[in-house]
Amino acid sequence: MWSVNIPYLIVVAILSTAATTSPGDKSQCQHACEVLDSEFPGRVYYDGADANFSIWDQKQLQTTYVCRTEPSSATEVSRVLQILVNTWCRFAVKCGGHSRYPDDSVSVSGVTIDLALINNTVVSDDRTTAIIGGGALTRQVYAALDPYGLAYVGGRVGQVGIGGFALGGGTSVLSGKHGWAVDNILEYEVVLANSTIVTVSEHQHPDLYYALRGGGNNFGIVTSFTVGVFPQGAVYTGSRSFGDNQTNRFLEEAEKIFTIQDSEDVNVGLEYRYAYSAQQGGFVMSSTQRYSEPVLDPPVFRGLNEIPALTNLAGGINSLANSTRFSGPLGQTRNVFASVTHYPSLELSKKVTEIFKTEWRTGNLMDVSPELITYSIPAGAIQRMKLRGGNALGLDVGGHLVINLLSLSWMNSTNDEVAYAFANRFIDSFHQEAKALNVLHPFIYINYANKGQDVFSGYGDENKKRLLSIQQAVDPRGIFTSSGLWRGFFKLH
């Protein structure tokens, strides 16, 4: 058993009479909203009169909450949480809001704590670190760092918030050189379940520091991240699509590039997407080719680009700030993700495209758009996961791993069950095939996982036990548990 040495957690819980009723009772939350409105006038918005609110996933946008509040500091987040706990009102916390289910970022019949106002990025005098507000979006952070000629390990999509991204791991286009976001965070400012504001680092509350590095939303509300930053100029991004008759050859070249990224050139990045194209009348393999230096047509991709293609090579050199600036319309599509991680295996990669085609043809997916997105967890990123006492993810292998994201989008709730069924069937078949070939890795990336996928068991038994021990120490009343007040996203159990 681990000793969680956090003295400030030895507190006497002040139980309100509201705590004897079930969390989320609407009258309790209505009372909470009235108190919030009196203390934060102009920053409490009631559902039905919240016209300016938007969020990526339509399912979350359509979620009915009692009110939404916008605190502007850790002190205000602490007070908001205190009010909600005292009234025993359910809540959810929104940063970028890139999750897929109600209660992840938008509370069902409760209060949504929107961190959008806590979005500043402050660069240190020596330009080696930056303090990033817990509600900042990827594009906001890149834009703030760009005038300094700096970058951080941020997301691929500008609308993604640092909160969920970094607490779940944080895979990035810069991971080959700098690792995952979770291993570049030096310090957290956290509001705990008892409303205490604490600073957490390798040397201050190291158990909680470990837990926040991959443990998701089980421990508190992070109001700022102190991250390492580094000089970064413009980068290369290219794209090209290939017909299905070239899929196997493409996969062979892709695996060569993943291996080069491990040991020869950490500037390299490659993602590819497999999907049905109505325009092409068949399945298409689309590549995103990345290089973290301003080099047009990097030689590492020439073998890939010698494959006969459907499109010309498109792209060029741009800053990370410019390439993540665009934010498309929000709330139009319903989405589901699911994920599988495996050891390198061309045989599996080729079989999985056949599984995808079979499921697509039998899945009645007229109005649902699935795609399989694949890239590597580079060897260098895995090695960096041992820094500062190690993170909670449980990744410790030689070489790289291959991470796969099944992403489905659609626009009408009548297709929900079709989409969910496709995701479950495909991931089950993928999992069985990987297991049969003895290349399945148990890790499931929390930010790509689907409901029902056992994320924390994939971290390994010891890591999961340690996380549970820490969670019980920092949140003895279970505010952040599946039976508490914030029940959304993936909970330790």
Side-chain angles (χ1 to χ4, degrees), residues 334-378:
R334 307 168 77 81
N335 305 274
V336 66
F337 288 177
S339 188
V340 173
T341 305
H342 61 83
Y343 294 92
S345 169
L346 274 172
E347 183 178 2
L348 177 62
S349 296
K350 292 174 181 179
K351 286 186 176 182
V352 165
T353 60
E354 296 301 319
I355 293 171
F356 186 93
K357 284 188 284 193
T358 298
E359 293 294 347
W360 185 90
R361 287 167 176 151
T362 60
N364 191 28
L365 299 176
M366 291 294 292
D367 298 309
V368 179
S369 300
E371 62 176 350
L372 182 64
I373 305 168
T374 303
Y375 54 90
S376 79
I377 308 175

Side-chain angles (χ1 to χ4, degrees), residues 36 40 43-45 67-71 80 111-114:
L36 290 169
F40 305 107
R43 286 188 282 140
V44 174
Y45 309 89
C67 73
R68 177 177 65 92
T69 186
E70 293 184 323
V80 169
V111 172
T112 297
I113 305 173
D114 191 337

Side-chain angles (χ1 to χ4, degrees), residues 162-325:
I162 190 173
F165 169 76
L167 292 171
T171 170
S172 170
V173 300
L174 301 173
S175 288
K177 183 183 289 187
H178 298 286
W180 279 24
V182 74
D183 300 308
N184 288 270
I185 299 170
L186 307 177
E187 199 169 88
Y188 302 82
E189 180 184 67
V190 189
V191 179
L192 296 174
N194 63 4
S195 296
T196 304
I197 303 170
V198 297
T199 299
V200 177
S201 69
E202 180 184 7
H203 304 294
Q204 298 181 81
H205 318 306
D207 289 297
L208 185 53
Y209 179 68
Y210 161 87
L212 292 171
R213 296 169 66 193
N217 68 337
N218 288 280
F219 304 95
I221 302 172
V222 178
T223 49
S224 76
F225 300 79
T226 301
V227 305
V229 296
F230 40 83
Q232 179 65 59
V235 301
Y236 169 79
T237 306
S239 61
R240 200 171 199 186
S241 296
F242 304 83
D244 198 29
N245 61 332
Q246 300 296 336
T247 291
N248 286 352
R249 184 177 170 188
F250 177 94
L251 292 171
E252 291 163 6
E253 290 296 330
E255 181 54 37
K256 292 176 185 176
I257 292 169
F258 291 160
T259 303
I260 290 170
Q261 184 184 32
D262 286 343
S263 58
E264 297 179 36
D265 193 343
V266 295
N267 292 302
V268 175
L270 174 68
E271 303 127 45
Y272 55 85
R273 291 168 164 78
Y274 191 73
Y276 179 80
S277 167
Q279 181 180 3
Q280 296 293 336
F283 293 87
V284 171
M285 182 69 79
S286 302
S287 67
T288 303
Q289 305 167 23
R290 303 184 188 271
Y291 202 76
S292 61
E293 297 288 343
V295 178
L296 277 172
D297 190 20
V300 67
F301 297 118
R302 286 180 185 163
L304 193 70
N305 289 323
E306 287 173 357
I307 300 172
L310 295 173
T311 61
N312 293 325
L313 181 63
I317 293 171
N318 208 342
S319 69
L320 289 167
N322 282 337
S323 63
T324 57
R325 179 187 299 171

Side-chain angles (χ1 to χ4, degrees), residues 30-46 67 69 83:
Q30 286 171 337
H31 176 59
C33 289
E34 291 168 3
V35 176
L36 290 169
D37 205 4
S38 69
E39 295 199 20
F40 305 107
R43 286 188 282 140
V44 174
Y45 309 89
Y46 288 86
C67 73
T69 186
I83 291 167

